[in-house]
Amino acid sequence: MDLIAHIDFQFEENAQAIAETRRQLAETLAAAVQTMVECLLDNGRILACGNGGSAADAQHFAAELVGRFEVERQELAAIALTTDTSILTAVANDYGYEAVFARQVRALGQPGDVLLAISTSGHSPNIIRAIEVAHEYDLRVIALTGKGGGEIGRMMREGDVHLCVPAQRTARIQEAHLLCIHCLCDGIDRLLLGVEE
């Protein structure tokens, strides 16, 4: 096996996926930024959830808002629903893993808040349940998906924003999701702070 050729292929496939994501999602990303900024300006909060690598992305996003992205600013209200192991294990044990995010959205979410729901496949049952509860409680949903969006793509309603990466491989979707998250953080800073550079 030519390992260097395979590494080159990984980089090339990534570049193609990122270029296509940019082409298809730039306008939708701007709409997602607007939705998040409206929420934050109205004293709302952003709840974020995902599984595996998407859980790490949810935590990364919340850390950038509560801490900072690239410029100093006040803390912004974001909570990763993936981090409290006592809640996750208690809910999974008592109600099943499909409920681990839904119960947190029901407990913490308020009308006007935003749920950032991340699923590379668009079919994650616990993310689907969280979106159902978000809709029930009048939270807006920003979904980060791939592979055509799956069931989550079909759940989007007016006021929601669907960021579906145009790729099939999970690794490429995750790589594009990270760039989308950084675009969201950068856009939030630019709209809230008037950052121009």
Side-chain angles (χ1 to χ4, degrees):
M1 171 174 45
D2 185 344
L3 189 55
I4 293 174
H6 193 67
I7 290 169
D8 285 342
F9 170 77
Q10 297 286 328
F11 275 87
E12 181 59 33
E13 191 177 65
N14 169 276
Q16 291 173 1
I18 294 297
E20 191 60 22
T21 299
R22 174 188 176 194
R23 189 182 73 76
Q24 291 189 27
L25 294 186
E27 188 174 320
T28 312
L29 274 162
V33 169
Q34 291 280 0
T35 297
M36 289 181 165
V37 167
E38 288 170 12
C39 166
L40 294 166
L41 287 174
D42 199 31
N43 293 318
R45 63 183 122 189
I46 302 169
L47 310 177
C49 59
N51 296 291
S54 298
D57 287 341
Q59 291 165 215
H60 184 156
F61 174 80
E64 301 286 23
L65 264 62
V66 174
R68 66 166 181 203
F69 182 54
E70 292 185 326
V71 296
E72 290 297 334
R73 57 152 163 76
Q74 71 179 54
E75 305 83 355
L76 300 174
I79 302 170
L81 305 181
T82 56
T83 58
D84 191 321
T85 55
S86 294
I87 289 174
L88 293 172
T89 55
V91 172
N93 186 62
D94 294 346
Y95 301 98
Y97 193 67
E98 289 184 13
V100 294
F101 301 133
R103 289 188 71 83
Q104 292 185 77
V105 172
R106 190 174 286 114
L108 300 171
Q110 299 291 326
D113 286 350
V114 169
L115 175 66
L116 176 61
I118 310 172
S119 170
T120 57
S121 70
H123 292 296
S124 305
N126 57 1
I127 303 297
I128 289 169
R129 289 277 302 279
I131 292 170
E132 290 170 348
V133 172
H135 286 160
E136 179 184 343
Y137 280 73
D138 292 324
L139 279 72
R140 289 171 290 178
V141 175
I142 296 173
L144 267 173
T145 68
K147 301 183 182 182
E151 179 61 27
I152 289 171
R154 293 186 286 275
M155 295 176 72
M156 295 294 96
R157 66 182 191 181
E158 186 176 350
D160 293 339
V161 181
H162 186 201
L163 299 165
C164 182
V165 169
Q168 294 298 313
R169 289 186 63 192
T170 299
R172 300 296 85 88
I173 296 165
Q174 289 175 327
E175 290 155 6
H177 279 182
L178 180 57
L179 182 54
C180 288
I181 286 167
H182 284 164
C183 288
L184 294 172
C185 294
D186 178 69
I188 288 167
D189 281 358
R190 288 177 185 280
L191 288 187
L192 286 181
L193 304 175
V195 175
E196 294 296 336
E197 41 178 80

